[in-house]
Amino acid sequence: LQASSPVLALVKDGRRVREAVAGTEIELVASQTPFYGAAGGQVGDRGVVEGASGRMAVTDSLKLPGDLIVHVGKVEEGVLRAGDTVTLVVDEALRADTALNHTATHILHAVLRQVLGDHVKQAGSMVAPERLRFDFTHFTAVTPTELREIERLVNDEIRRNRDLQVHVMGLEEALKTGAMALFEEKYGDTVRLVEIPGFSRELCGGTHTHRTGDIGVFQI
Ligand SMILES: [Zn+2]
């Protein structure tokens, strides 16, 4: 979760600038980065970008078309210049908390289909370090009894502590495994399949825990 890379571009108020001094809000693009740019409901990483002459606090990361990751934040010390070699460091604790919530989202999705029916479809989600939100389609409001059952089944799966597996494969091949994919999402020819063996398969580019037990406990 750390990389060294030259700064390709600095942007201030929508304009490219050569340098940015302490106190300036900027967007920074580097040729390589370990930061996850907000995508698929998962929020962007936070962290720091440190150069020989200055330091930036990254409060958000965005993913733009063409897999371009933009680091958003403020220069806190010194000066950053385009062309500087910088070290990009992701806040590991926040990334780890986000991964717990992301894996919980996959478990919740599978449990919702078990409890409410196969017609349940993911309509959106928000995965952050502190919490997750999962939007889905269903015919009526979920009852308190169903909510308790859903929470119980998610926690059952957490206690099974299964190993997650990530496979990279062709889209057609992945869909043949019965993996859940979002209808509106545009997928490339090669996709990433995140599997909780025997329980859930989803096409997903997000960050996850190694085992379901890492989540600890799930509460609605
Ligand atoms: Zn996912």
Side-chain angles (χ1 to χ4, degrees), residues 102 106 202 204 208:
H102 198 140
H106 284 215
E202 284 196 45
C204 176
H208 285 273

Side-chain angles (χ1 to χ4, degrees), residues 126-220:
M126 197 282 293
V127 182
E130 308 79 23
R131 68 190 183 98
L132 69 91
R133 191 196 74 232
F134 192 82
D135 309 330
F136 60 97
T137 55
H138 183 42
F139 306 118
T140 60
V142 181
T143 67
T145 312
E146 285 167 335
L147 281 180
R148 276 195 299 277
E149 179 68 356
I150 290 160
E151 192 179 74
R152 188 181 71 75
L153 289 171
V154 171
N155 283 306
D156 276 357
E157 182 52 32
I158 290 170
R159 279 192 296 272
R160 275 185 205 109
N161 198 21
R162 283 192 250 231
D163 253 319
L164 268 79
Q165 291 176 12
V166 176
H167 319 272
V168 175
M169 57 173 76
L171 177 61
E172 298 254 314
E173 192 191 349
L175 293 175
K176 271 186 211 145
T177 70
M180 288 191 278
L182 296 185
F183 182 70
E184 319 76 50
E185 188 92 9
K186 288 191 195 87
Y187 295 101
D189 296 336
T190 306
V191 293
R192 197 162 165 269
L193 177 76
V194 176
E195 179 175 21
I196 302 170
F199 188 74
S200 140
R201 286 194 193 101
E202 284 196 45
L203 301 191
C204 176
T207 63
H208 285 273
T209 61
H210 297 295
R211 306 185 71 93
T212 59
D214 296 340
I215 297 166
V217 69
F218 173 84
Q219 190 177 33
I220 294 177

Side-chain angles (χ1 to χ4, degrees), residues 81-155:
R81 295 185 184 89
D84 278 359
T85 294
V86 291
T87 306
L88 303 108
V89 187
V90 173
D91 186 321
E92 284 191 43
L94 292 177
R95 163 75 77 86
D97 285 350
T98 302
L100 302 183
N101 281 327
H102 198 140
T103 302
T105 304
H106 284 215
I107 298 175
L108 174 63
H109 192 183
V111 166
L112 284 169
R113 290 165 65 96
Q114 272 177 31
V115 174
L116 304 176
D118 279 349
H119 61 278
V120 166
K121 283 206 167 55
Q122 179 169 352
S125 76
M126 197 282 293
V127 182
E130 308 79 23
R131 68 190 183 98
L132 69 91
R133 191 196 74 232
F134 192 82
D135 309 330
F136 60 97
T137 55
H138 183 42
F139 306 118
T140 60
V142 181
T143 67
T145 312
E146 285 167 335
L147 281 180
R148 276 195 299 277
E149 179 68 356
I150 290 160
E151 192 179 74
R152 188 181 71 75
L153 289 171
V154 171
N155 283 306

